[in-house]
Amino acid sequence: MGIERTLADRKGRDFCELPKETITNSSKSKKNRRRHKKAPVPPVQTLFDTCKDVFVSAAPAVVPPPQDIQSLQSVLDRIKPEDVGLKPDMPYFHTNGSQRRPRITYLHIYECEKFSIGIFCLPPSGVIPLHNHPGMTVLSKILFGTMHIKSYDWVVDFPPETPTTFKPPENGGSEMRLAKVKVDADFIAPCNPSILYPAEGGNMHCFTAVTACAVLDVLGPPYSDPDGRHCTYYHNYPFSNFEVEGLSIPEEERCAYEWLQERDDKLEDLEVVGKMYNGPKIVEG
């Protein structure tokens, strides 16, 4: 007869006859087990662990499998401001009269050669100008607030003979390149994380804070100047501003296309300061 059956037969007859000391020790043992119960894993730790798995083979222009992206998106979707130590009334989200432009704060959480995690904190009217993410897969989660996002992809599906770049003679800067608008809308938290890929999904984008807001960013792989993955900023111009021989787009579709030109100025409209991340710490083990 098995031990489970033996104990069942003895339960009513013998268990009540156990010495009191034995019962007391058993009770203490249960309390100790409850006392040593593992604490829940902080959401930011789960995000880090998931990024390690998703970006284990991260390399420029290498997109993780769809199921991995979905897994990471699901983790991001559950993260709340308090999970990373943020509150809307923090100084990061306010401006004062002495600032020429709203100052943006970046909270660095983690970075390695495979991926990076960080938070951008924007006061009302704060702007992260139009920029690119070369060879990267990027997931962004608006933690709170309202953000206007405008994003673009390069036009690559026109016939080969169609010109999609040109250098305007009256402009001494770099050439113009045709891009298609992917997103141009306000996003109000809570909302689904956005995803952009190396060649689609809005690889170039601009953030404008309608209200104070915070954005949690995951980049894989991260920016790296030595590896040629540096951040490029752009000016954008309506398609109708220029006429290019051999390029024709129906009038009703032109609003979906714009010309982008690399910026070579000093980005006087952008001020970003780094601050310590004070949320739950990540354990790398």
Side-chain angles (χ1 to χ4, degrees):
M1 184 180 290
I3 188 169
E4 296 88 352
R5 180 65 179 174
T6 303
L7 288 175
D9 290 343
R10 291 180 52 195
K11 185 173 181 179
R13 177 170 49 87
D14 293 343
F15 277 20
C16 62
E17 299 172 1
L18 289 173
K20 291 183 179 181
E21 183 178 355
T22 303
I23 295 174
T24 301
N25 288 341
S26 175
S27 176
K28 288 182 178 178
S29 176
K30 290 179 181 178
K31 288 181 180 179
N32 288 337
R33 285 199 298 271
R34 287 196 295 267
R35 189 179 298 121
H36 291 94
K37 186 178 180 180
K38 285 187 177 181
V41 177
V44 72
Q45 181 69 46
T46 302
L47 175 62
F48 169 76
D49 294 337
T50 305
C51 285
K52 279 206 312 182
D53 293 337
V54 170
F55 295 112
V56 65
S57 301
V62 175
V63 178
Q67 64 270 22
D68 288 350
I69 292 293
Q70 186 177 7
S71 174
L72 183 52
Q73 185 178 14
S74 177
V75 172
L76 273 172
D77 193 45
R78 294 193 296 270
I79 292 182
K80 299 178 176 61
E82 56 268 28
D83 295 329
V84 288
L86 286 183
K87 295 181 179 178
D89 60 356
M90 286 178 161
Y92 311 139
F93 307 106
H94 299 282
T95 57
N96 59 62
S98 64
Q99 294 176 350
R100 292 193 305 156
R101 70 191 71 85
R103 180 182 297 131
I104 295 166
T105 303
Y106 180 72
L107 306 178
H108 171 77
I109 297 179
Y110 180 83
E111 182 172 333
C112 64
E113 64 178 10
K114 298 293 187 181
F115 65 91
S116 67
I117 306 172
I119 302 171
F120 286 99
C121 305
L122 292 82
S125 301
V127 177
I128 300 177
L130 181 60
H131 62 284
N132 71 341
H133 301 83
M136 303 176 190
T137 299
V138 180
L139 290 90
S140 300
K141 166 69 182 293
I142 302 175
L143 297 171
F144 65 83
T146 300
M147 175 81 77
H148 185 88
I149 299 177
K150 190 169 186 179
S151 65
Y152 306 79
D153 288 326
W154 295 123
V155 172
V156 295
D157 57 352
F158 281 11
E161 67 275 8
T162 304
T164 55
T165 63
F166 81 100
K167 190 166 185 178
E170 70 277 8
N171 190 320
S174 57
E175 70 177 12
M176 302 279 187
R177 185 173 176 183
L178 189 62
K180 187 169 185 178
V181 178
K182 179 70 177 180
V183 171
D184 187 6
D186 289 348
F187 291 83
I188 304 172
C191 57
N192 293 332
S194 65
I195 308 172
L196 61 86
Y197 300 96
E200 61 178 348
N203 188 275
M204 286 99 37
H205 66 202
C206 171
F207 287 160
T208 303
V210 179
T211 68
C213 51
V215 182
L216 175 60
D217 258 2
V218 173
L219 282 67
Y223 288 107
S224 172
D225 287 340
D227 297 321
R229 294 193 306 278
H230 57 271
C231 186
T232 300
Y233 292 89
Y234 299 90
H235 291 294
N236 61 309
Y237 302 93
F239 175 82
S240 57
N241 276 24
F242 305 96
E243 291 186 9
V244 178
E245 186 177 352
L247 175 62
S248 178
I249 295 177
E251 185 72 31
E252 65 274 13
E253 297 178 15
R254 291 186 177 185
C255 62
Y257 294 88
E258 294 186 12
W259 295 102
L260 304 189
Q261 182 185 43
E262 288 188 22
R263 296 179 62 164
D264 54 10
D265 56 19
K266 296 181 180 180
L267 288 174
E268 294 183 354
D269 56 343
L270 175 64
E271 182 181 2
V272 179
V273 296
K275 295 290 184 180
M276 290 291 294
Y277 164 70
N278 293 316
K281 302 305 179 186
I282 285 175
V283 178
E284 296 186 46

